[in-house]
Amino acid sequence: MRYIVRAVKYFFYYFLILALVLAVLLAFHLVEGGIDGIFRDGWGSVGKIAIMFALVAAAYPYFGFKKYGIVIPGAYEEIRPKLVKYLEDKGYELESEEQENLTFRLRNRFNRATRMWEDRVSLTRDFHGFYIEGPNRDIVRLKAGLEYLFRENPDA
């Protein structure tokens, strides 16, 4: 269900961006006329753009949101303070904590809005460490930083 909601959100997000670009072009008189003057096929072109946006929006949640494993040895009580501090330093705030599972959200409201409020990063406790889940562009960076922070041989 979350996949479908994300796809619909991004479909409308793409149309919002298109509408803003067209509004700027019309406001500064860089193009003339309405939809028929902007696009070669008029409203037919808008339909083609809608189909293209629908295809991209349908594929984006698959590629844009992932789940990776992070090897972090040690007891949760020892790991938790460093985890929370690291994510807070990266601009996240602790949203919820259930047993040994943590959920973070971005602190900056503007960044949250630009990501369509799809900024949640979840850390689910596993036998070898955690699973990190969220927007792919964020969790790849966070995964690498956390693995570096908790590596067993920090002087090597």
Side-chain angles (χ1 to χ4, degrees):
M1 184 66 180
R2 187 185 311 171
Y3 188 94
I4 294 169
V5 169
R6 284 179 176 159
V8 170
K9 272 183 167 181
Y10 279 97
F11 177 76
F12 287 111
Y13 184 63
Y14 297 146
F15 261 106
L16 176 67
I17 291 172
L18 177 65
L20 290 174
V21 168
L22 293 177
V24 168
L25 291 173
L26 288 170
F28 289 108
H29 304 289
L30 298 172
V31 293
E32 294 184 20
I35 295 297
D36 293 325
I38 295 173
F39 298 112
R40 182 182 316 155
D41 294 334
W43 286 101
S45 293
V46 173
K48 292 173 189 173
I49 291 169
I51 292 169
M52 182 190 67
F53 283 173
L55 293 173
V56 172
Y60 184 75
Y62 178 76
F63 296 106
F65 297 89
K66 293 291 182 183
K67 182 177 188 177
Y68 296 107
I70 307 174
V71 177
I72 300 177
Y76 179 74
E77 294 78 25
E78 299 168 4
I79 295 170
R80 186 195 177 281
K82 287 174 76 173
L83 259 175
V84 172
K85 182 179 180 338
Y86 178 80
L87 282 151
E88 285 178 349
D89 290 345
K90 296 296 179 187
Y92 289 87
E93 63 185 352
L94 185 62
E95 181 184 42
S96 68
E97 182 173 7
E98 296 176 17
Q99 297 171 352
E100 295 184 350
N101 302 326
L102 305 165
T103 304
F104 294 87
R105 299 291 302 257
L106 283 172
R107 252 187 319 243
N108 187 315
R109 292 181 192 267
F110 178 74
N111 286 343
R112 291 177 75 185
T114 60
R115 295 169 187 214
M116 300 285 296
W117 291 272
E118 293 287 346
D119 61 326
R120 183 174 284 119
V121 173
S122 301
L123 291 158
T124 308
R125 187 72 163 143
D126 185 37
F127 179 72
H128 296 290
F130 287 89
Y131 279 106
I132 186 168
E133 182 177 7
N136 195 32
R137 64 179 173 235
D138 293 338
I139 63 171
V140 167
R141 177 179 44 90
L142 293 173
K143 177 185 182 296
L146 287 169
E147 286 177 340
Y148 180 79
L149 180 68
F150 287 101
R151 67 184 180 178
E152 290 185 24
N153 239 343
D155 297 328

